[in-house]
Amino acid sequence: MITDTCFAVGPWALRETWLKLDLLPQSESVFALSNGHVGWRGNLDEGEPHGLPGSYLNGFHELHPLPYAEAGYGYPESGQTAINVTNGKIIRLLVDDAPFDLRYGRLRSHERVLDMRCGVLHRTCEWTSPAGRTVRVRSTRLVSFTQRSIATVAYEVEAVDTPVRIVVQSELVANEQLPTVAGDPRTAVALESPLEAEEDLAMGNHLRLIHCTRSSKLRIAAAADHSVQGPEPTQTSSESNADVARLTVTSLLAPGQKLRIEKTVAYGWSRFRSLPAVRDQVEAALAAAGSTGWQGLADEQQSYLDEFWARSDVEVDGDEEIQQAVRFALFHVLQAGARAEQRAIPAKGLTGTGYDGHSFWDTETFVLPLLTYTSPGAVAEALRWRQSTLPTARDRARQLGLRGAAFPWRTIDGAECTAYWPAGTAAFHVNADIADAVVRYVSATGDQDFERTSGVELLVETARLWMSLGHHDHRGTFHIDGVTGPDEYSAVADDNTYTNLMAARNLTEAAEAAERHPHQATALSVDDEETAAWRDAAEAMHLPYNDELRVHEQHAGFTGHQPWDFAATRPDQYPLLLHFPYFDIYRKQVVKQADLVLAMYTCGEAFDTGHKARNFDYYEPLTVRDSSLSACCQAVIAAEVGHEKLAYDYTVEAALMDLDDLENNTRDGLHIASLAGTWMALVCGFGGMRHHGDTLSFMPRLPEKLSRLAFHLEIWGRRLGVEIKTGIATYTLLAGPSMTIRHHGEALTLTADSPTSRPVPDATEHPAPEQPPGRRPGHPQQRRARL
Ligand code: BGC
């Protein structure tokens, strides 16, 4: 969609120079603002026209029945869906007697700019009403990173060439009418008008609505304050009913005169707190924001982002679109995770209702690595959320006849919400992914307090799960049978290599953490016998291998399956899951998304160079990338095994997933994992960054298209700058004591005195493998030279 000429390329902003109504659903996602707690889609201020109105609060959801044609033991009974909460964005405008609605009259100009340096969304437009009255409207919206319950809009309307009577209605609206979604009617009914009114108030410039969900019994309060500046006589009045609270401002503007309204909205929600307590919470948040003032909030936002960019920026010379895309990616990942604070980070962040607002392994495997090296505090919070759901995960394990904890494949509050168990409950690898995120965070930050209070428990309970899921065979080899790995086109398979390697790491790390923290281990009833068993299992873990082909098997027997008939598959039959029965997909060699290839990245030490290259060559022609999580993983390994051009094409695919709406579903919300994968493709792909324990290594190598790549990392209490130019890499210790890193195998000690540069060895480029017909990466819509 952004290939449309109305979008401009720029290093720090996403600029839409003209409004295309047919792109609204997508542009609302890319212009969404969030801080991880509150999320506002980029809906137009006046509410209509819209693709999908969206205001979300992290964790706020309704329950609905889960549809099953046939019941089965252990199937989750109820689903959870993030719901559209009270809309505080709405500011309707009447120009003389005509509603300001861009579908009517004449739109003379319309521009929206997402300013990623300042964290605000600007809008400017000039419109002539059907009766010939012209107004200029400017708005600036932000969702505050520093005051997490607060979102605010500064809205200005100006008469252009004739006097106009203006009426502005600033509203809080609950139970907004939403476009109808096809699907299970029971779900639709449960989610229609999900909020029951508890209290409404309009007093002067102050508005408030309090509601409660019908089934999940969550209470939400939204309150708004306004500051109004306009020429005399500007008048205000307010009113409220169960679902709408409204401030009405009337003014008469002479040409050149402006009416400015600063609207600040506070949100609060709780499962447990009483109505007065939730009410007081939003009132207190509004009072705090009021004392900061609109400009103060904007200044705080700017400082927050200055710090973020100083820690996290990635500079790319040679491809302006990718420069823009990586900053867009970093910005949105920050928005998804920055202030999630002991809540999940959903697969779509707070940008849309795709995947019902659920979180998956996307968080630990794709999002948290980026945040670990750029905003580590957010990682501790995300993992503490997992820890807070341990009671539910323990119950789930018991229900499944297992020990330890079985974390859900998809969830909002920790309960399993998957209605299709082969690609849900059976995807046990999510447990090892969580454990891996714990290990990575602790070893990058040295946060012993976190390890003691949260890490040990997460590692121990997941290790116990693996012990009960797996078994030693008569030779002593450890197997984990009947699970689904990352590739959802093979389900309920034995010895998935990715799962086994990650589980082995989980077991070993749990044993080590228990030894480092004997007190916590004892509290969890871990003894030496148990840790010894974990170590034995890890040591004896089976990795299926095909001796003849000299490649690792994705799972036992995979390479013996019949290959998928790619030649007979038409381009319009992708994604395969929508056109072929799972029964057929599961029994053939066809890969939805990187699985063995992902294992070569996350557990690279288990594969030598020759195997990495051969495995990559083997799995490429089978991998169809029917998931947006694949391209970035393939980029990293393609770069490692020397296919720079291919790696670049995959990087572009990951980076432009949403900006170019490559999967035609950006309207449902952004693909946060793919956005984080853009960072992964650049930093771990072309930067060749790997971090295991106390080793931080780089194997930088630029693709032909780029002349420079530079990024920062926070690790071991240091800030490190890495700059790669053609033929040379430079490492600069920007903060903290000296440290040792590896550059293409050579150990380098970095000190604060001066940067260290090393040549980048030439690549031995060899022919890249082919992808299935029609699945080669490369931008389908021609990437254009834009402004
Ligand atoms: C992928 C999963 C992913 C989910 C949410 C699915 O299509 O196969 O790996 O977790 O989308 O992004």
Side-chain angles (χ1 to χ4, degrees):
M1 64 127 187
I2 224 148
T3 45
D4 194 287
T5 44
C6 69
F7 282 93
V9 173
W12 284 104
L14 181 65
R15 191 150 65 92
E16 182 201 45
T17 55
W18 185 249
L19 186 70
K20 287 263 176 81
L21 292 180
D22 56 336
L23 291 181
L24 263 182
Q26 294 95 314
S27 65
E28 288 166 354
S29 296
V30 299
F31 286 135
L33 293 179
S34 160
N35 55 18
H37 179 63
V38 175
W40 275 0
R41 270 171 73 79
N43 302 116
L44 300 177
D45 301 295
E46 55 279 13
E48 290 177 25
H50 58 232
L52 177 71
S55 306
Y56 310 110
L57 287 180
N58 192 347
F60 197 83
H61 66 275
E62 180 55 312
L63 303 173
H64 58 82
L66 269 180
Y68 299 105
E70 283 176 43
Y73 175 81
Y75 286 11
E77 282 160 19
S78 123
Q80 307 177 344
T81 296
I83 56 172
N84 181 36
V85 300
T86 310
N87 186 352
K89 301 184 286 278
I90 294 201
I91 300 183
R92 299 199 208 273
L93 171 64
L94 199 79
V95 178
D96 274 357
D97 48 9
F100 174 77
D101 183 323
L102 304 180
R103 290 168 291 197
Y104 304 97
R106 185 162 155 232
L107 187 59
R108 294 163 167 270
S109 64
H110 192 280
E111 183 172 271
R112 288 190 288 177
V113 180
L114 176 65
D115 182 331
M116 300 182 281
R117 236 185 317 209
C118 303
V120 294
L121 178 67
H122 295 290
R123 178 190 188 202
T124 323
C125 65
E126 203 172 292
W127 177 79
T128 304
S129 72
R133 301 283 181 270
T134 303
V135 289
R136 210 167 277 140
V137 171
R138 291 189 194 85
S139 73
T140 301
R141 185 187 282 178
L142 70 81
V143 173
S144 175
F145 283 114
T146 53
Q147 303 191 24
R148 75 166 198 164
S149 1
I150 297 296
T152 173
V153 191
Y155 185 87
E156 224 173 66
V157 47
E158 178 186 345
V160 174
D161 45 17
T162 50
V164 279
R165 180 179 307 281
I166 294 297
V167 182
V168 172
Q169 294 165 306
S170 169
E171 299 185 343
L172 296 175
V173 181
N175 291 317
E176 272 177 300
Q177 249 185 15
L178 298 175
T180 31
V181 267
D184 181 32
R186 287 171 298 173
T187 308
V189 168
L191 302 178
E192 212 169 274
S193 299
L195 299 169
E196 278 181 335
E198 292 197 318
E199 186 185 280
D200 62 87
L201 169 113
M203 208 169 59
N205 290 355
H206 190 82
L207 309 174
R208 187 169 68 228
L209 291 181
I210 304 185
H211 287 78
C212 192
T213 50
R214 283 175 220 283
S215 303
S216 56
K217 298 288 172 220
L218 305 181
R219 173 169 287 125
I220 171 187
D225 258 340
H226 299 80
S227 128
V228 179
Q229 296 153 34
E232 287 293 327
T234 293
Q235 288 168 344
T236 59
S237 62
S238 55
E239 63 195 309
S240 67
N241 61 43
D243 282 350
V244 180
R246 177 184 305 124
L247 171 75
T248 304
V249 183
T250 53
S251 190
L252 204 58
L253 300 180
Q257 281 188 322
K258 292 175 191 165
L259 172 70
R260 180 179 168 91
I261 298 175
E262 291 169 2
K263 174 184 195 180
T264 303
V265 182
Y267 286 101
W269 75 267
S270 173
R271 183 191 301 272
F272 305 112
R273 277 196 300 279
S274 66
L275 188 147
V278 177
R279 177 206 295 142
D280 289 357
Q281 176 186 339
V282 290
E283 293 302 337
L286 267 189
S291 78
T292 311
W294 200 89
Q295 194 51 48
L297 285 167
D299 293 345
E300 283 182 6
Q301 188 86 338
Q302 171 84 64
S303 323
Y304 185 94
L305 281 161
D306 285 348
E307 279 174 37
F308 170 70
W309 290 115
R311 297 191 304 268
S312 323
D313 192 21
V314 175
E315 293 171 75
V316 177
D317 290 358
D319 190 329
E320 291 177 18
E321 271 184 305
I322 298 307
Q323 174 63 85
Q324 180 186 45
V326 68
R327 290 206 174 112
F328 175 81
L330 287 162
F331 181 72
H332 272 292
V333 173
L334 176 76
Q335 291 208 115
R339 306 287 318 258
E341 286 163 24
Q342 302 199 27
R343 300 243 172 248
I345 302 176
K348 304 282 181 191
L350 299 178
T351 66
T353 45
Y355 286 123
D356 285 336
H358 292 168
S359 301
F360 296 73
W361 71 307
D362 304 34
T363 306
E364 281 78 9
T365 306
F366 295 84
V367 174
L368 295 194
L370 187 175
L371 293 177
T372 298
Y373 304 108
T374 58
S375 299
V379 178
E381 294 292 318
L383 293 171
R384 286 207 177 96
W385 167 71
R386 284 290 189 190
Q387 184 188 18
S388 74
T389 66
L390 263 170
T392 313
R394 286 192 184 102
D395 287 349
R396 179 71 176 155
R398 288 312 83 80
Q399 185 186 29
L400 299 173
L402 299 166
R403 293 193 60 220
F407 284 101
W409 175 243
R410 52 188 294 172
T411 189
I412 292 181
D413 76 351
E416 180 62 272
C417 288
T418 196
Y420 181 62
W421 67 268
T425 298
F428 284 101
H429 67 84
V430 62
N431 296 284
D433 302 328
I434 294 168
D436 190 42
V438 168
V439 173
R440 184 187 313 109
Y441 168 75
V442 171
S443 89
T445 59
D447 187 345
Q448 284 303 309
D449 183 50
F450 171 86
E451 184 174 73
R452 195 178 58 254
T453 55
S454 305
V456 177
E457 195 179 12
L458 286 166
L459 290 169
V460 162
E461 294 295 41
T462 45
R464 285 177 169 155
L465 178 83
W466 295 118
M467 291 308 289
S468 60
L469 256 178
H471 67 102
H472 288 276
D473 68 13
H474 59 284
R475 290 194 204 88
T477 308
F478 196 79
H479 300 272
I480 302 172
D481 295 335
V483 300
T484 302
D487 165 27
E488 296 181 350
Y489 285 174
S490 284
V492 198
D494 295 344
D495 286 318
N496 170 260
T497 301
Y498 172 85
T499 306
N500 284 13
L501 282 169
M502 295 291 286
R505 176 179 292 164
N506 192 161
L507 290 161
T508 314
E509 295 287 349
E512 283 173 17
E515 256 162 38
R516 278 194 298 275
H517 301 281
H519 186 66
Q520 274 64 34
T522 310
L524 291 162
S525 316
V526 178
D527 57 22
D528 291 349
E529 204 180 316
E530 188 171 19
T531 53
W534 295 346
R535 287 203 164 94
D536 285 350
E539 190 74 14
M541 191 68 76
H542 182 58
L543 298 182
Y545 183 74
N546 184 321
D547 289 310
E548 242 169 88
L549 297 169
R550 294 169 60 224
V551 296
H552 288 87
E553 297 210 277
Q554 182 175 289
H555 61 79
F558 178 82
T559 55
H561 288 184
Q562 183 184 359
W564 184 262
D565 189 352
F566 292 106
T569 310
R570 296 191 314 271
D572 63 344
Q573 290 179 306
Y574 292 96
L576 298 181
L577 65 105
L578 297 184
H579 300 93
F580 298 93
Y582 270 129
F583 140 79
D584 206 24
I585 293 176
Y586 288 167
R587 64 202 193 103
K588 306 249 168 85
Q589 287 194 64
V590 55
V591 177
K592 179 184 184 192
Q593 63 200 98
D595 186 317
L596 197 271
V597 165
L598 175 60
M600 295 199 292
Y601 161 54
T602 57
C603 303
E605 65 288 351
F607 304 86
D608 62 30
T609 315
H611 275 107
K612 281 185 180 159
R614 273 198 305 281
N615 289 341
F616 188 75
D617 281 2
Y618 185 85
Y619 287 94
E620 270 295 283
L622 302 174
T623 305
V624 293
R625 297 195 316 291
D626 280 351
S627 157
S628 65
L629 273 53
S630 201
C632 57
C633 310
Q634 288 168 269
V636 172
I637 297 301
E640 182 171 351
V641 301
H643 304 305
E644 267 100 34
K645 164 125 195 7
L646 181 60
Y648 194 67
D649 290 345
Y650 280 136
T651 305
V652 170
E653 184 171 301
L656 298 183
M657 186 61 65
D658 286 309
L659 286 175
D660 284 359
D661 195 10
L662 295 182
E663 292 199 345
N664 297 317
N665 57 6
T666 294
R667 61 178 185 274
D668 302 333
L670 302 181
H671 299 80
I672 300 296
S674 180
L675 291 170
T678 309
W679 176 91
M680 182 170 134
L682 289 166
V683 171
C684 307
F686 300 120
M689 191 274 261
R690 299 289 187 277
H691 165 220
H692 290 296
D694 53 8
T695 308
L696 178 66
S697 57
F698 297 89
M699 301 254 285
R701 204 166 265 138
L702 285 187
E704 213 176 273
K705 186 84 170 71
L706 300 186
S707 52
R708 178 172 167 272
L709 169 68
F711 53 87
H712 289 172
L713 298 173
E714 303 274 306
I715 186 165
W716 305 327
R718 278 89 164 174
R719 180 170 299 168
L720 175 65
V722 180
E723 184 183 45
I724 309 152
K725 292 185 177 163
T726 315
I728 188 152
T730 303
Y731 303 92
T732 309
L733 185 59
L734 298 165
S738 67
M739 67 190 289
T740 301
I741 59 154
R742 301 188 83 79
H743 166 86
H744 282 280
E746 180 195 359
L748 301 180
T749 299
L750 308 180
T751 60
D753 310 335
S754 60
T756 306
S757 294
R758 283 291 180 276
V760 168
D762 284 339
T764 42
E765 178 73 56
H766 47 279
E770 288 294 315
Q771 291 69 43
R775 305 306 287 167
R776 183 177 298 177
H779 207 343
Q781 301 112 330
Q782 287 309 309
R783 295 176 66 206
R784 300 156 304 103
R786 287 181 264 139
L787 290 171

